Amino acid sequence: YPIYASCLLINSFVSMALCLAPFVLAIYFQDVLGLTPWISGVILLIPAVVAMLVIPGAQWVYSRTNGKMLIFYSILLIALGNGLLGKLTLETTLVYVLFWLCVRYSGIGLSGMPITDYGMSSIPKELSNHGSALLNWCKMMATSLSLSGFTMVLSMKTTIYSQQTDIINAQLMAINDVFLYSTMLMIAAAFLALGLKNKG
C-alpha cells in the first residue's frame, strides 16, 4: 500500500519536527538567552495553543479541498518555520522566534489529521487496526530516534564550534544547524506528499 507507506513516513517526519522545538529551544532560551524555565515554558506554550486552534480548521479545509495539497502546504509551513528558526542570532527578538514557531506549529496542526486520514483510507478496512497500531508505533519510534539523533548532532556541533568561539555562540550555531537539518527532513516529506495520488 504505497500511499499508506508514504503517509507513514510523512507522519514520522512531522513527529520529528514536533519534538524538536521544545528540546532545542529550551536550550536556546535558557542557556543562550538566560531566560528562566518558566518564561521558556510560556513562550513554547503559545505556539502549541495555536496548533490546537488550527486543527478544526484543518478538518474543515480537508473535507472541502484536495487533501494532498493541504498536506503539502502544511509541511511547507513547517519547513519554512524550521528554516527561519535556523537563522537565530544573539540579537534575534523573541517576537521573531514566537512568530515562526507559530507558523511551524500551524503546519503541524494542519497536517496531522489529513496525513493520518489519507493513509488509513488507503488500506482495506480489515487492516485498519493493524494500520493504526503501526502508525502510532512509527510516530513514537520517530520521536525517540529524532531526540537521540538531534541530541547527538547538537552535542557534536557544539563541541566543534566551541573550538572556534565561546560556548554561547557555539550552542547557538549548533542549534541553527539542527533546525536546518530538520528543514531538510521536511522538504523530503513535502516531496513525498507531492507523490501521493489524489483521492477519488
Side-chain angles (χ1 to χ4, degrees), residues 4-42:
Y4 175 81
S6 295
C7 289
L8 202 66
L9 283 174
I10 295 170
N11 227 325
S12 297
F13 289 154
V14 171
S15 296
M16 291 178 179
L18 178 62
C19 73
L20 170 67
F23 163 65
V24 174
L25 288 179
I27 296 172
Y28 172 70
F29 290 140
Q30 296 175 50
D31 293 352
V32 177
L33 298 185
L35 301 179
T36 65
W38 189 86
I39 294 176
S40 301
V42 170

PDB file of all heavy atoms in Angstrom, residues 4-42:
ATOM      1  N   TYR A   4      -0.250   4.466   1.910  1.00  0.00           N
ATOM      2  CA  TYR A   4      -0.128   4.294   3.363  1.00  0.00           C
ATOM      3  C   TYR A   4       1.333   4.389   3.792  1.00  0.00           C
ATOM      4  O   TYR A   4       1.659   5.065   4.786  1.00  0.00           O
ATOM      5  CB  TYR A   4      -0.713   2.946   3.788  1.00  0.00           C
ATOM      6  CG  TYR A   4      -0.513   2.649   5.251  1.00  0.00           C
ATOM      7  CD1 TYR A   4      -1.352   3.195   6.213  1.00  0.00           C
ATOM      8  CD2 TYR A   4       0.541   1.828   5.675  1.00  0.00           C
ATOM      9  CE1 TYR A   4      -1.151   2.932   7.561  1.00  0.00           C
ATOM     10  CE2 TYR A   4       0.747   1.563   7.014  1.00  0.00           C
ATOM     11  CZ  TYR A   4      -0.104   2.117   7.955  1.00  0.00           C
ATOM     12  OH  TYR A   4       0.103   1.868   9.285  1.00  0.00           O
ATOM     13  N   ALA A   5       2.232   3.751   3.031  1.00  0.00           N
ATOM     14  CA  ALA A   5       3.658   3.775   3.371  1.00  0.00           C
ATOM     15  C   ALA A   5       4.209   5.206   3.312  1.00  0.00           C
ATOM     16  O   ALA A   5       4.976   5.628   4.193  1.00  0.00           O
ATOM     17  CB  ALA A   5       4.440   2.866   2.428  1.00  0.00           C
ATOM     18  N   SER A   6       3.801   5.970   2.300  1.00  0.00           N
ATOM     19  CA  SER A   6       4.252   7.359   2.188  1.00  0.00           C
ATOM     20  C   SER A   6       3.741   8.194   3.358  1.00  0.00           C
ATOM     21  O   SER A   6       4.485   8.992   3.943  1.00  0.00           O
ATOM     22  CB  SER A   6       3.773   7.973   0.870  1.00  0.00           C
ATOM     23  OG  SER A   6       4.379   7.328  -0.229  1.00  0.00           O
ATOM     24  N   CYS A   7       2.470   8.001   3.696  1.00  0.00           N
ATOM     25  CA  CYS A   7       1.892   8.748   4.818  1.00  0.00           C
ATOM     26  C   CYS A   7       2.565   8.364   6.133  1.00  0.00           C
ATOM     27  O   CYS A   7       2.704   9.197   7.035  1.00  0.00           O
ATOM     28  CB  CYS A   7       0.391   8.511   4.901  1.00  0.00           C
ATOM     29  SG  CYS A   7      -0.544   9.311   3.569  1.00  0.00           S
ATOM     30  N   LEU A   8       2.970   7.096   6.244  1.00  0.00           N
ATOM     31  CA  LEU A   8       3.684   6.642   7.438  1.00  0.00           C
ATOM     32  C   LEU A   8       4.997   7.407   7.588  1.00  0.00           C
ATOM     33  O   LEU A   8       5.341   7.879   8.682  1.00  0.00           O
ATOM     34  CB  LEU A   8       3.953   5.141   7.320  1.00  0.00           C
ATOM     35  CG  LEU A   8       4.197   4.344   8.600  1.00  0.00           C
ATOM     36  CD1 LEU A   8       2.953   4.318   9.462  1.00  0.00           C
ATOM     37  CD2 LEU A   8       4.608   2.923   8.237  1.00  0.00           C
ATOM     38  N   LEU A   9       5.723   7.548   6.485  1.00  0.00           N
ATOM     39  CA  LEU A   9       6.987   8.287   6.508  1.00  0.00           C
ATOM     40  C   LEU A   9       6.761   9.772   6.788  1.00  0.00           C
ATOM     41  O   LEU A   9       7.479  10.389   7.588  1.00  0.00           O
ATOM     42  CB  LEU A   9       7.719   8.119   5.176  1.00  0.00           C
ATOM     43  CG  LEU A   9       8.439   6.798   4.953  1.00  0.00           C
ATOM     44  CD1 LEU A   9       8.985   6.730   3.530  1.00  0.00           C
ATOM     45  CD2 LEU A   9       9.572   6.618   5.957  1.00  0.00           C
ATOM     46  N   ILE A  10       5.760  10.350   6.126  1.00  0.00           N
ATOM     47  CA  ILE A  10       5.472  11.768   6.327  1.00  0.00           C
ATOM     48  C   ILE A  10       5.109  12.032   7.789  1.00  0.00           C
ATOM     49  O   ILE A  10       5.587  12.983   8.413  1.00  0.00           O
ATOM     50  CB  ILE A  10       4.337  12.234   5.395  1.00  0.00           C
ATOM     51  CG1 ILE A  10       4.769  12.139   3.930  1.00  0.00           C
ATOM     52  CG2 ILE A  10       3.921  13.668   5.725  1.00  0.00           C
ATOM     53  CD1 ILE A  10       3.631  12.342   2.945  1.00  0.00           C
ATOM     54  N   ASN A  11       4.263  11.165   8.344  1.00  0.00           N
ATOM     55  CA  ASN A  11       3.850  11.306   9.739  1.00  0.00           C
ATOM     56  C   ASN A  11       5.050  11.207  10.671  1.00  0.00           C
ATOM     57  O   ASN A  11       5.137  11.918  11.673  1.00  0.00           O
ATOM     58  CB  ASN A  11       2.815  10.236  10.088  1.00  0.00           C
ATOM     59  CG  ASN A  11       1.627  10.812  10.826  1.00  0.00           C
ATOM     60  OD1 ASN A  11       1.768  11.737  11.609  1.00  0.00           O
ATOM     61  ND2 ASN A  11       0.456  10.260  10.580  1.00  0.00           N
ATOM     62  N   SER A  12       5.981  10.328  10.348  1.00  0.00           N
ATOM     63  CA  SER A  12       7.183  10.172  11.166  1.00  0.00           C
ATOM     64  C   SER A  12       8.035  11.436  11.120  1.00  0.00           C
ATOM     65  O   SER A  12       8.550  11.891  12.147  1.00  0.00           O
ATOM     66  CB  SER A  12       8.001   8.970  10.681  1.00  0.00           C
ATOM     67  OG  SER A  12       7.281   7.764  10.830  1.00  0.00           O
ATOM     68  N   PHE A  13       8.180  12.021   9.927  1.00  0.00           N
ATOM     69  CA  PHE A  13       8.951  13.264   9.793  1.00  0.00           C
ATOM     70  C   PHE A  13       8.294  14.406  10.571  1.00  0.00           C
ATOM     71  O   PHE A  13       8.983  15.213  11.204  1.00  0.00           O
ATOM     72  CB  PHE A  13       9.099  13.651   8.323  1.00  0.00           C
ATOM     73  CG  PHE A  13      10.027  12.759   7.550  1.00  0.00           C
ATOM     74  CD1 PHE A  13       9.894  12.602   6.178  1.00  0.00           C
ATOM     75  CD2 PHE A  13      11.052  12.074   8.180  1.00  0.00           C
ATOM     76  CE1 PHE A  13      10.759  11.792   5.465  1.00  0.00           C
ATOM     77  CE2 PHE A  13      11.925  11.257   7.475  1.00  0.00           C
ATOM     78  CZ  PHE A  13      11.776  11.113   6.112  1.00  0.00           C
ATOM     79  N   VAL A  14       6.957  14.480  10.521  1.00  0.00           N
ATOM     80  CA  VAL A  14       6.244  15.526  11.265  1.00  0.00           C
ATOM     81  C   VAL A  14       6.424  15.325  12.770  1.00  0.00           C
ATOM     82  O   VAL A  14       6.587  16.293  13.520  1.00  0.00           O
ATOM     83  CB  VAL A  14       4.756  15.547  10.885  1.00  0.00           C
ATOM     84  CG1 VAL A  14       3.968  16.482  11.798  1.00  0.00           C
ATOM     85  CG2 VAL A  14       4.580  15.977   9.430  1.00  0.00           C
ATOM     86  N   SER A  15       6.413  14.064  13.215  1.00  0.00           N
ATOM     87  CA  SER A  15       6.648  13.776  14.633  1.00  0.00           C
ATOM     88  C   SER A  15       8.041  14.221  15.059  1.00  0.00           C
ATOM     89  O   SER A  15       8.237  14.725  16.172  1.00  0.00           O
ATOM     90  CB  SER A  15       6.472  12.279  14.904  1.00  0.00           C
ATOM     91  OG  SER A  15       5.153  11.866  14.658  1.00  0.00           O
ATOM     92  N   MET A  16       9.018  14.038  14.164  1.00  0.00           N
ATOM     93  CA  MET A  16      10.371  14.508  14.455  1.00  0.00           C
ATOM     94  C   MET A  16      10.393  16.022  14.616  1.00  0.00           C
ATOM     95  O   MET A  16      11.037  16.565  15.517  1.00  0.00           O
ATOM     96  CB  MET A  16      11.320  14.102  13.323  1.00  0.00           C
ATOM     97  CG  MET A  16      11.593  12.616  13.234  1.00  0.00           C
ATOM     98  SD  MET A  16      12.690  12.256  11.832  1.00  0.00           S
ATOM     99  CE  MET A  16      12.857  10.473  12.001  1.00  0.00           C
ATOM    100  N   ALA A  17       9.671  16.722  13.730  1.00  0.00           N
ATOM    101  CA  ALA A  17       9.624  18.183  13.807  1.00  0.00           C
ATOM    102  C   ALA A  17       8.913  18.643  15.074  1.00  0.00           C
ATOM    103  O   ALA A  17       9.294  19.641  15.689  1.00  0.00           O
ATOM    104  CB  ALA A  17       8.916  18.742  12.577  1.00  0.00           C
ATOM    105  N   LEU A  18       7.887  17.896  15.477  1.00  0.00           N
ATOM    106  CA  LEU A  18       7.111  18.277  16.658  1.00  0.00           C
ATOM    107  C   LEU A  18       7.952  18.254  17.922  1.00  0.00           C
ATOM    108  O   LEU A  18       7.879  19.168  18.746  1.00  0.00           O
ATOM    109  CB  LEU A  18       5.909  17.334  16.803  1.00  0.00           C
ATOM    110  CG  LEU A  18       5.003  17.565  18.022  1.00  0.00           C
ATOM    111  CD1 LEU A  18       4.375  18.953  17.961  1.00  0.00           C
ATOM    112  CD2 LEU A  18       3.924  16.494  18.081  1.00  0.00           C
ATOM    113  N   CYS A  19       8.781  17.229  18.084  1.00  0.00           N
ATOM    114  CA  CYS A  19       9.557  17.092  19.318  1.00  0.00           C
ATOM    115  C   CYS A  19      10.820  17.940  19.304  1.00  0.00           C
ATOM    116  O   CYS A  19      11.457  18.122  20.349  1.00  0.00           O
ATOM    117  CB  CYS A  19       9.906  15.629  19.570  1.00  0.00           C
ATOM    118  SG  CYS A  19      11.181  14.982  18.463  1.00  0.00           S
ATOM    119  N   LEU A  20      11.189  18.460  18.137  1.00  0.00           N
ATOM    120  CA  LEU A  20      12.447  19.198  18.033  1.00  0.00           C
ATOM    121  C   LEU A  20      12.414  20.522  18.781  1.00  0.00           C
ATOM    122  O   LEU A  20      13.319  20.830  19.558  1.00  0.00           O
ATOM    123  CB  LEU A  20      12.762  19.458  16.551  1.00  0.00           C
ATOM    124  CG  LEU A  20      13.913  20.423  16.263  1.00  0.00           C
ATOM    125  CD1 LEU A  20      15.233  19.808  16.730  1.00  0.00           C
ATOM    126  CD2 LEU A  20      13.971  20.746  14.778  1.00  0.00           C
ATOM    127  N   ALA A  21      11.373  21.331  18.551  1.00  0.00           N
ATOM    128  CA  ALA A  21      11.350  22.700  19.073  1.00  0.00           C
ATOM    129  C   ALA A  21      11.428  22.777  20.599  1.00  0.00           C
ATOM    130  O   ALA A  21      12.244  23.532  21.128  1.00  0.00           O
ATOM    131  CB  ALA A  21      10.124  23.435  18.555  1.00  0.00           C
ATOM    132  N   PRO A  22      10.597  22.042  21.345  1.00  0.00           N
ATOM    133  CA  PRO A  22      10.692  22.167  22.810  1.00  0.00           C
ATOM    134  C   PRO A  22      12.072  21.806  23.343  1.00  0.00           C
ATOM    135  O   PRO A  22      12.571  22.449  24.277  1.00  0.00           O
ATOM    136  CB  PRO A  22       9.631  21.174  23.316  1.00  0.00           C
ATOM    137  CG  PRO A  22       8.689  21.011  22.182  1.00  0.00           C
ATOM    138  CD  PRO A  22       9.512  21.137  20.945  1.00  0.00           C
ATOM    139  N   PHE A  23      12.708  20.806  22.743  1.00  0.00           N
ATOM    140  CA  PHE A  23      14.023  20.366  23.202  1.00  0.00           C
ATOM    141  C   PHE A  23      15.109  21.389  22.882  1.00  0.00           C
ATOM    142  O   PHE A  23      15.851  21.848  23.759  1.00  0.00           O
ATOM    143  CB  PHE A  23      14.343  19.005  22.558  1.00  0.00           C
ATOM    144  CG  PHE A  23      15.793  18.632  22.622  1.00  0.00           C
ATOM    145  CD1 PHE A  23      16.411  18.390  23.837  1.00  0.00           C
ATOM    146  CD2 PHE A  23      16.542  18.533  21.463  1.00  0.00           C
ATOM    147  CE1 PHE A  23      17.749  18.055  23.895  1.00  0.00           C
ATOM    148  CE2 PHE A  23      17.883  18.200  21.507  1.00  0.00           C
ATOM    149  CZ  PHE A  23      18.483  17.955  22.736  1.00  0.00           C
ATOM    150  N   VAL A  24      15.188  21.788  21.610  1.00  0.00           N
ATOM    151  CA  VAL A  24      16.264  22.682  21.180  1.00  0.00           C
ATOM    152  C   VAL A  24      16.048  24.105  21.687  1.00  0.00           C
ATOM    153  O   VAL A  24      16.983  24.759  22.158  1.00  0.00           O
ATOM    154  CB  VAL A  24      16.383  22.670  19.640  1.00  0.00           C
ATOM    155  CG1 VAL A  24      17.394  23.693  19.164  1.00  0.00           C
ATOM    156  CG2 VAL A  24      16.781  21.281  19.152  1.00  0.00           C
ATOM    157  N   LEU A  25      14.816  24.588  21.614  1.00  0.00           N
ATOM    158  CA  LEU A  25      14.572  25.971  22.016  1.00  0.00           C
ATOM    159  C   LEU A  25      14.646  26.163  23.531  1.00  0.00           C
ATOM    160  O   LEU A  25      14.895  27.280  23.999  1.00  0.00           O
ATOM    161  CB  LEU A  25      13.230  26.447  21.467  1.00  0.00           C
ATOM    162  CG  LEU A  25      13.221  26.680  19.952  1.00  0.00           C
ATOM    163  CD1 LEU A  25      11.854  27.138  19.482  1.00  0.00           C
ATOM    164  CD2 LEU A  25      14.270  27.711  19.550  1.00  0.00           C
ATOM    165  N   ALA A  26      14.418  25.104  24.284  1.00  0.00           N
ATOM    166  CA  ALA A  26      14.615  25.210  25.735  1.00  0.00           C
ATOM    167  C   ALA A  26      16.080  25.542  26.029  1.00  0.00           C
ATOM    168  O   ALA A  26      16.388  26.360  26.914  1.00  0.00           O
ATOM    169  CB  ALA A  26      14.209  23.915  26.419  1.00  0.00           C
ATOM    170  N   ILE A  27      16.985  24.931  25.279  1.00  0.00           N
ATOM    171  CA  ILE A  27      18.418  25.233  25.421  1.00  0.00           C
ATOM    172  C   ILE A  27      18.695  26.666  24.969  1.00  0.00           C
ATOM    173  O   ILE A  27      19.431  27.412  25.622  1.00  0.00           O
ATOM    174  CB  ILE A  27      19.258  24.231  24.606  1.00  0.00           C
ATOM    175  CG1 ILE A  27      19.075  22.823  25.153  1.00  0.00           C
ATOM    176  CG2 ILE A  27      20.738  24.614  24.613  1.00  0.00           C
ATOM    177  CD1 ILE A  27      19.711  21.733  24.320  1.00  0.00           C
ATOM    178  N   TYR A  28      18.085  27.056  23.844  1.00  0.00           N
ATOM    179  CA  TYR A  28      18.290  28.417  23.328  1.00  0.00           C
ATOM    180  C   TYR A  28      17.796  29.469  24.323  1.00  0.00           C
ATOM    181  O   TYR A  28      18.507  30.435  24.636  1.00  0.00           O
ATOM    182  CB  TYR A  28      17.562  28.561  21.996  1.00  0.00           C
ATOM    183  CG  TYR A  28      17.538  29.969  21.453  1.00  0.00           C
ATOM    184  CD1 TYR A  28      18.703  30.572  20.976  1.00  0.00           C
ATOM    185  CD2 TYR A  28      16.354  30.701  21.408  1.00  0.00           C
ATOM    186  CE1 TYR A  28      18.692  31.870  20.476  1.00  0.00           C
ATOM    187  CE2 TYR A  28      16.327  31.993  20.909  1.00  0.00           C
ATOM    188  CZ  TYR A  28      17.495  32.569  20.452  1.00  0.00           C
ATOM    189  OH  TYR A  28      17.469  33.855  19.964  1.00  0.00           O
ATOM    190  N   PHE A  29      16.573  29.288  24.835  1.00  0.00           N
ATOM    191  CA  PHE A  29      16.008  30.278  25.742  1.00  0.00           C
ATOM    192  C   PHE A  29      16.767  30.361  27.067  1.00  0.00           C
ATOM    193  O   PHE A  29      17.030  31.450  27.574  1.00  0.00           O
ATOM    194  CB  PHE A  29      14.535  29.958  26.023  1.00  0.00           C
ATOM    195  CG  PHE A  29      13.627  30.175  24.844  1.00  0.00           C
ATOM    196  CD1 PHE A  29      12.590  29.286  24.574  1.00  0.00           C
ATOM    197  CD2 PHE A  29      13.793  31.251  23.989  1.00  0.00           C
ATOM    198  CE1 PHE A  29      11.747  29.478  23.498  1.00  0.00           C
ATOM    199  CE2 PHE A  29      12.964  31.442  22.893  1.00  0.00           C
ATOM    200  CZ  PHE A  29      11.936  30.555  22.654  1.00  0.00           C
ATOM    201  N   GLN A  30      17.114  29.195  27.623  1.00  0.00           N
ATOM    202  CA  GLN A  30      17.695  29.181  28.958  1.00  0.00           C
ATOM    203  C   GLN A  30      19.212  29.343  28.963  1.00  0.00           C
ATOM    204  O   GLN A  30      19.758  30.145  29.721  1.00  0.00           O
ATOM    205  CB  GLN A  30      17.297  27.890  29.681  1.00  0.00           C
ATOM    206  CG  GLN A  30      15.797  27.782  29.907  1.00  0.00           C
ATOM    207  CD  GLN A  30      15.388  26.453  30.516  1.00  0.00           C
ATOM    208  OE1 GLN A  30      15.960  26.014  31.515  1.00  0.00           O
ATOM    209  NE2 GLN A  30      14.395  25.801  29.918  1.00  0.00           N
ATOM    210  N   ASP A  31      19.909  28.599  28.103  1.00  0.00           N
ATOM    211  CA  ASP A  31      21.376  28.643  28.122  1.00  0.00           C
ATOM    212  C   ASP A  31      21.949  29.815  27.327  1.00  0.00           C
ATOM    213  O   ASP A  31      22.930  30.434  27.736  1.00  0.00           O
ATOM    214  CB  ASP A  31      21.959  27.338  27.573  1.00  0.00           C
ATOM    215  CG  ASP A  31      21.668  26.157  28.488  1.00  0.00           C
ATOM    216  OD1 ASP A  31      21.165  26.374  29.606  1.00  0.00           O
ATOM    217  OD2 ASP A  31      21.949  25.020  28.087  1.00  0.00           O
ATOM    218  N   VAL A  32      21.324  30.106  26.168  1.00  0.00           N
ATOM    219  CA  VAL A  32      21.851  31.173  25.314  1.00  0.00           C
ATOM    220  C   VAL A  32      21.319  32.546  25.741  1.00  0.00           C
ATOM    221  O   VAL A  32      22.084  33.494  25.913  1.00  0.00           O
ATOM    222  CB  VAL A  32      21.517  30.907  23.827  1.00  0.00           C
ATOM    223  CG1 VAL A  32      21.997  32.054  22.942  1.00  0.00           C
ATOM    224  CG2 VAL A  32      22.155  29.590  23.377  1.00  0.00           C
ATOM    225  N   LEU A  33      19.981  32.636  25.910  1.00  0.00           N
ATOM    226  CA  LEU A  33      19.394  33.937  26.254  1.00  0.00           C
ATOM    227  C   LEU A  33      19.316  34.177  27.755  1.00  0.00           C
ATOM    228  O   LEU A  33      19.109  35.317  28.182  1.00  0.00           O
ATOM    229  CB  LEU A  33      17.985  34.047  25.650  1.00  0.00           C
ATOM    230  CG  LEU A  33      17.885  33.992  24.117  1.00  0.00           C
ATOM    231  CD1 LEU A  33      16.452  34.237  23.677  1.00  0.00           C
ATOM    232  CD2 LEU A  33      18.822  35.007  23.469  1.00  0.00           C
ATOM    233  N   GLY A  34      19.439  33.129  28.563  1.00  0.00           N
ATOM    234  CA  GLY A  34      19.410  33.291  30.016  1.00  0.00           C
ATOM    235  C   GLY A  34      18.021  33.483  30.592  1.00  0.00           C
ATOM    236  O   GLY A  34      17.875  34.011  31.711  1.00  0.00           O
ATOM    237  N   LEU A  35      16.971  33.049  29.875  1.00  0.00           N
ATOM    238  CA  LEU A  35      15.613  33.158  30.394  1.00  0.00           C
ATOM    239  C   LEU A  35      15.351  32.072  31.425  1.00  0.00           C
ATOM    240  O   LEU A  35      16.012  31.040  31.443  1.00  0.00           O
ATOM    241  CB  LEU A  35      14.596  33.046  29.250  1.00  0.00           C
ATOM    242  CG  LEU A  35      14.706  34.083  28.119  1.00  0.00           C
ATOM    243  CD1 LEU A  35      13.650  33.820  27.066  1.00  0.00           C
ATOM    244  CD2 LEU A  35      14.572  35.499  28.666  1.00  0.00           C
ATOM    245  N   THR A  36      14.355  32.304  32.269  1.00  0.00           N
ATOM    246  CA  THR A  36      14.006  31.303  33.279  1.00  0.00           C
ATOM    247  C   THR A  36      13.222  30.165  32.633  1.00  0.00           C
ATOM    248  O   THR A  36      12.597  30.347  31.576  1.00  0.00           O
ATOM    249  CB  THR A  36      13.144  31.925  34.391  1.00  0.00           C
ATOM    250  OG1 THR A  36      11.891  32.343  33.821  1.00  0.00           O
ATOM    251  CG2 THR A  36      13.849  33.121  35.027  1.00  0.00           C
ATOM    252  N   PRO A  37      13.219  28.990  33.243  1.00  0.00           N
ATOM    253  CA  PRO A  37      12.422  27.878  32.693  1.00  0.00           C
ATOM    254  C   PRO A  37      10.940  28.220  32.571  1.00  0.00           C
ATOM    255  O   PRO A  37      10.275  27.778  31.633  1.00  0.00           O
ATOM    256  CB  PRO A  37      12.653  26.758  33.706  1.00  0.00           C
ATOM    257  CG  PRO A  37      13.976  27.062  34.321  1.00  0.00           C
ATOM    258  CD  PRO A  37      14.042  28.563  34.374  1.00  0.00           C
ATOM    259  N   TRP A  38      10.426  29.019  33.501  1.00  0.00           N
ATOM    260  CA  TRP A  38       9.005  29.375  33.467  1.00  0.00           C
ATOM    261  C   TRP A  38       8.686  30.203  32.230  1.00  0.00           C
ATOM    262  O   TRP A  38       7.716  29.935  31.515  1.00  0.00           O
ATOM    263  CB  TRP A  38       8.631  30.151  34.730  1.00  0.00           C
ATOM    264  CG  TRP A  38       7.159  30.367  34.864  1.00  0.00           C
ATOM    265  CD1 TRP A  38       6.241  29.523  35.410  1.00  0.00           C
ATOM    266  CD2 TRP A  38       6.415  31.522  34.423  1.00  0.00           C
ATOM    267  NE1 TRP A  38       4.975  30.065  35.340  1.00  0.00           N
ATOM    268  CE2 TRP A  38       5.060  31.291  34.745  1.00  0.00           C
ATOM    269  CE3 TRP A  38       6.771  32.718  33.792  1.00  0.00           C
ATOM    270  CZ2 TRP A  38       4.051  32.206  34.461  1.00  0.00           C
ATOM    271  CZ3 TRP A  38       5.768  33.641  33.494  1.00  0.00           C
ATOM    272  CH2 TRP A  38       4.425  33.380  33.833  1.00  0.00           C
ATOM    273  N   ILE A  39       9.501  31.224  31.956  1.00  0.00           N
ATOM    274  CA  ILE A  39       9.277  32.063  30.775  1.00  0.00           C
ATOM    275  C   ILE A  39       9.454  31.241  29.499  1.00  0.00           C
ATOM    276  O   ILE A  39       8.679  31.379  28.538  1.00  0.00           O
ATOM    277  CB  ILE A  39      10.237  33.270  30.782  1.00  0.00           C
ATOM    278  CG1 ILE A  39       9.908  34.192  31.955  1.00  0.00           C
ATOM    279  CG2 ILE A  39      10.162  34.038  29.462  1.00  0.00           C
ATOM    280  CD1 ILE A  39      10.867  35.362  32.108  1.00  0.00           C
ATOM    281  N   SER A  40      10.442  30.359  29.482  1.00  0.00           N
ATOM    282  CA  SER A  40      10.657  29.494  28.317  1.00  0.00           C
ATOM    283  C   SER A  40       9.431  28.630  28.065  1.00  0.00           C
ATOM    284  O   SER A  40       8.998  28.458  26.916  1.00  0.00           O
ATOM    285  CB  SER A  40      11.877  28.598  28.550  1.00  0.00           C
ATOM    286  OG  SER A  40      13.030  29.363  28.764  1.00  0.00           O
ATOM    287  N   GLY A  41       8.857  28.093  29.142  1.00  0.00           N
ATOM    288  CA  GLY A  41       7.663  27.257  29.008  1.00  0.00           C
ATOM    289  C   GLY A  41       6.470  28.028  28.472  1.00  0.00           C
ATOM    290  O   GLY A  41       5.714  27.518  27.643  1.00  0.00           O
ATOM    291  N   VAL A  42       6.296  29.272  28.934  1.00  0.00           N
ATOM    292  CA  VAL A  42       5.184  30.106  28.456  1.00  0.00           C
ATOM    293  C   VAL A  42       5.345  30.402  26.961  1.00  0.00           C
ATOM    294  O   VAL A  42       4.380  30.331  26.194  1.00  0.00           O
ATOM    295  CB  VAL A  42       5.110  31.418  29.262  1.00  0.00           C
ATOM    296  CG1 VAL A  42       4.116  32.387  28.618  1.00  0.00           C
ATOM    297  CG2 VAL A  42       4.706  31.132  30.699  1.00  0.00           C
TER     298      VAL A  42
END
